[in-house]
Amino acid sequence: MAPVLPLALRLQPRIRLAQGLWLLSWLLALAGGFTLLYSGHLSVQVCHLGTFLAPSCPFNALPKVALGAGAVAVGTGLLGAGVSRASLDAAQYPPWRGVLCPLLVAGTVGGGGLLIFALGLALAVPWSLDSGLEEGLGTALAHYKDTEVPGHCHAKRLLDELQLWHHCCGRHGYKDWFGIQWVSSRYLDPNDQDVVDRMQSNVEGLYLIDGVPFSCCNPHSPRPCLQSRLSDPHAHPLFDPRQPNLNLWAEGCHGVLLEYLQGLVNTMANVLAVTLLLQTVVLVGLRYLQTALEGLGGVIDAEGETQGYLFPCGLTDMLKAVWLQGGLVHRPAPEEAPKEEPSPMEDSPEA
């Protein structure tokens, strides 16, 4: 049975392979470390911005999977550097021989699987960010006034911080605040006729005004911020209502957050792709180094040419061997076959 992708390795190519794997393994460890750091940064962003995303959005799961993938990549790189360095010395290599097989299996199945899963999440996130932000921001705006409701008491603070830090207002613009009640009922006077009229004029009994919270105000504006009666052209005669961006943030938080989060996800995808490429190269190189050294008894500078390969035989041959081996297990060997008991006629004495 012919091995899969065999590669003839002489003395100098074997040494260069081990030296190159030592360098690539350290690069993999650095890439895994950077993956860990960037995953931690994404985790912080999830803590701050996860409130404004739908629970079904995969952006919330991306940092956790990337953290696991980065940890495995760091471990693979460090162990790969140790194995490749020890392979240059016949006295140091034997203790590492038992590490190679678990390393190759764990790096391929565990690390490779986590990296592919994380990369798939990073590629799928941009398709769901739009709808996730649409739903999450809508929920956050609706609970802005619920400062005393358990589970939503921090919605006002988080949304104010979002609008101040990211220079945005509302979901798609400042007029989004006109269609929801963002003033808490505890601050409304039930004896005020204006409050009663506004609540009775609404089908759902909400107190709607053409105003915005203070966090929509642009602190760099040279004039006082206008927060109320924004749709009345006669309420503020000295201001031009056609230019509200001079007082309020012009962009909605949906577009600002979408651009910001997509930039984070694209960077994460590039980091994961580089880490996956390095891990694949390191694992394939370690496999060739392992099989080449096994043919030389673990001595890299032994004379002669050896052969490295990925698998000792093709997939068809491996399946056939496993099938035949499984068949032989259930089939009794000829010498182990139970002997036939003599018939009663043969044991009976002659008449």
Side-chain angles (χ1 to χ4, degrees), residues 13-211:
R14 291 197 300 269
I15 295 177
R16 286 197 296 268
L17 175 61
Q19 294 172 343
L21 283 175
W22 179 83
L23 177 61
L24 289 174
S25 297
W26 278 112
L27 290 177
L28 174 60
L30 290 177
F34 190 76
T35 304
L36 287 176
L37 291 177
Y38 204 79
S39 301
H41 175 63
L42 280 185
S43 299
V44 174
Q45 298 304 313
V46 167
C47 293
H48 289 162
L49 303 176
T51 307
F52 311 112
L53 288 168
S56 59
C57 184
F59 182 82
N60 300 323
L62 177 59
K64 301 176 183 178
V65 181
L67 278 173
V72 176
V74 171
T76 304
L78 294 178
L79 290 177
V83 170
S84 56
R85 182 177 179 85
S87 65
L88 296 172
D89 190 347
Q92 296 181 6
Y93 179 69
W96 289 89
R97 295 178 68 177
V99 179
L100 257 177
C101 283
L103 173 62
L104 292 173
V105 174
T108 303
V109 179
L114 284 174
L115 281 171
I116 293 174
F117 185 39
L119 186 58
L121 282 177
L123 296 176
V125 162
W127 298 97
S128 59
L129 264 182
D130 192 1
S131 59
L133 284 172
E134 189 75 19
E135 179 183 346
L137 284 171
T139 304
L141 264 68
H143 292 293
Y144 183 85
K145 61 178 175 50
D146 300 332
T147 55
E148 296 181 348
V149 177
H152 303 292
C153 54
H154 299 292
K156 179 184 183 301
R157 178 182 59 84
L158 294 175
L159 197 49
D160 285 335
E161 292 176 352
L162 173 69
Q163 295 186 140
L164 288 172
W165 291 348
H166 291 272
H167 297 176
C168 58
C169 182
R171 182 163 49 177
H172 298 287
Y174 72 97
K175 291 186 178 180
D176 290 335
W177 291 105
F178 297 176
I180 64 170
Q181 179 182 339
W182 55 272
V183 179
S184 177
S185 299
R186 63 178 297 188
Y187 300 112
L188 300 178
D189 185 5
N191 298 321
D192 189 346
Q193 189 60 37
D194 180 65
V195 173
V196 175
D197 293 341
R198 286 182 180 274
M199 297 181 68
Q200 290 180 350
S201 63
N202 184 266
V203 177
E204 299 179 0
L206 302 177
Y207 179 75
L208 304 181
I209 58 174
D210 52 349

Side-chain angles (χ1 to χ4, degrees), residues 289-315:
L289 183 64
Q290 178 196 27
T291 53
L293 291 180
E294 291 298 326
L296 298 172
V299 182
I300 195 171
D301 55 352
E303 296 296 334
E305 178 181 312
T306 186
Q307 190 180 60
Y309 50 84
L310 290 181
F311 301 102
C313 58
L315 180 60

Side-chain angles (χ1 to χ4, degrees), residues 273-293:
V274 172
T275 306
L276 178 61
L277 178 61
L278 285 173
Q279 181 148 328
T280 303
V281 173
V282 168
L283 291 175
V284 171
L286 287 176
R287 176 58 176 168
Y288 274 106
L289 183 64
Q290 178 196 27
T291 53
L293 291 180

